[in-house]
Amino acid sequence: QVQLVESGGGLVQPGGSLELSCAVSGKIITIYDMGWYRQAPGKQRELVATVSGGGNTKYQPSVEGRFTISRDNAKKMVYLQMGNLKPEDTAVYYCYLRVGVITVSDYWGQGTQVTVSS
C-alpha cells in the first residue's frame, strides 16, 4: 500500500521559514504529480503547489515567490520550502501524490500543522 509521511510542520513567526518533507513508500510504477495542499480552519482545502514528473511546477498566486516545491525521484520525496511566512499561511498542509499507468490513483498524507504567529 502506498503511504505518504509528512514532517516539518510547526510554529514559526511571521517572516520566518519552514521546510516540509513528504516521504513516499510502497509499490509505485509511475509517479505523475506530487504536491502540497492546505486547509485552514473554516476554509476549503486549496492547492499550494505541485510538481510534475517532468519538473513543471505550479503555485497558488498567494505563495508564488515565497514557496518552492521540489522532488527527488530517487528518494521518492517531495519538499516544500516556505519563506517569508505570513499568518494567512496558517493551515494543515497535506502531501499529495498521483500515480498510475492506465488508471491513475491519488494519495494523501495525514497532514502537518503549520502555524504562523508572533
Side-chain angles (χ1 to χ4, degrees), residues 64-113:
E64 191 166 9
R66 299 188 297 118
F67 292 9
T68 301
I69 188 171
S70 62
R71 63 189 289 173
D72 187 325
N73 292 327
K75 297 180 179 180
K76 294 191 293 184
M77 296 190 69
V78 61
Y79 308 90
L80 184 67
Q81 179 65 49
M82 304 182 294
N84 192 23
L85 284 162
K86 304 176 180 180
E88 304 91 277
D89 297 317
T90 296
V92 177
Y93 284 70
Y94 297 90
C95 183
Y96 164 80
L97 173 70
R98 171 164 285 187
V99 302
V101 177
I102 298 175
T103 301
V104 300
S105 299
D106 294 339
Y107 297 90
W108 298 87
Q110 296 183 9
T112 183
Q113 177 71 47

Side-chain angles (χ1 to χ4, degrees), residues 20-51:
L20 305 182
S21 300
C22 177
V24 180
S25 63
K27 296 182 179 180
I28 300 174
I29 299 175
T30 303
I31 299 177
Y32 292 133
D33 300 322
M34 305 180 75
W36 295 89
Y37 286 70
R38 68 185 182 186
Q39 186 169 24
K43 298 183 179 180
Q44 296 182 346
R45 185 176 297 188
E46 63 181 2
L47 169 72
V48 179
T50 60
V51 56

